[in-house]
Amino acid sequence: MVERKHIPVDAECSVNIVTEQMADGRWAVVSSIKHESPTGEKIIDLPVCDDRFGSQSEAENAGFSQAREWIDHNMPRAA
């Protein structure tokens, strides 16, 4: 089973999270960030981790945390 979620973070960024239940019952996650500006949009794919999680919500939380950390460290802040 695969599930996709789109979570707004602020006016410019949102996080896309895809979770998938593996054959062993554990969950995998991949995340990307969508950055929108007046001139267009950019999708930033984050590195795929090999971690597996006991539940879908744990996988989603890990994917969102990874994306939020990337945003905090890499996106410019408004003055």
Side-chain angles (χ1 to χ4, degrees):
M1 177 169 86
V2 174
E3 185 173 324
R4 294 168 177 22
K5 284 196 175 179
H6 179 82
I7 304 168
V9 174
D10 59 31
E12 296 176 344
C13 291
S14 59
V15 175
N16 296 313
I17 298 174
V18 178
T19 54
E20 181 177 3
Q21 190 169 28
M22 309 308 287
D24 66 0
R26 298 186 54 80
W27 290 84
V29 63
V30 293
S31 303
S32 62
I33 297 163
K34 183 165 96 172
H35 180 252
E36 296 183 67
S37 71
T39 58
E41 70 180 36
K42 179 179 183 178
I43 303 296
I44 301 148
D45 293 323
L46 299 178
V48 177
C49 68
D50 293 331
D51 296 342
R52 297 295 180 258
F53 303 91
S55 69
Q56 184 176 18
S57 63
E58 286 178 273
E60 288 173 359
N61 289 338
F64 186 76
S65 292
Q66 178 191 26
R68 190 67 214 207
E69 184 176 328
W70 191 96
I71 291 168
D72 291 345
H73 288 90
N74 295 286
M75 296 303 293
R77 304 221 188 282

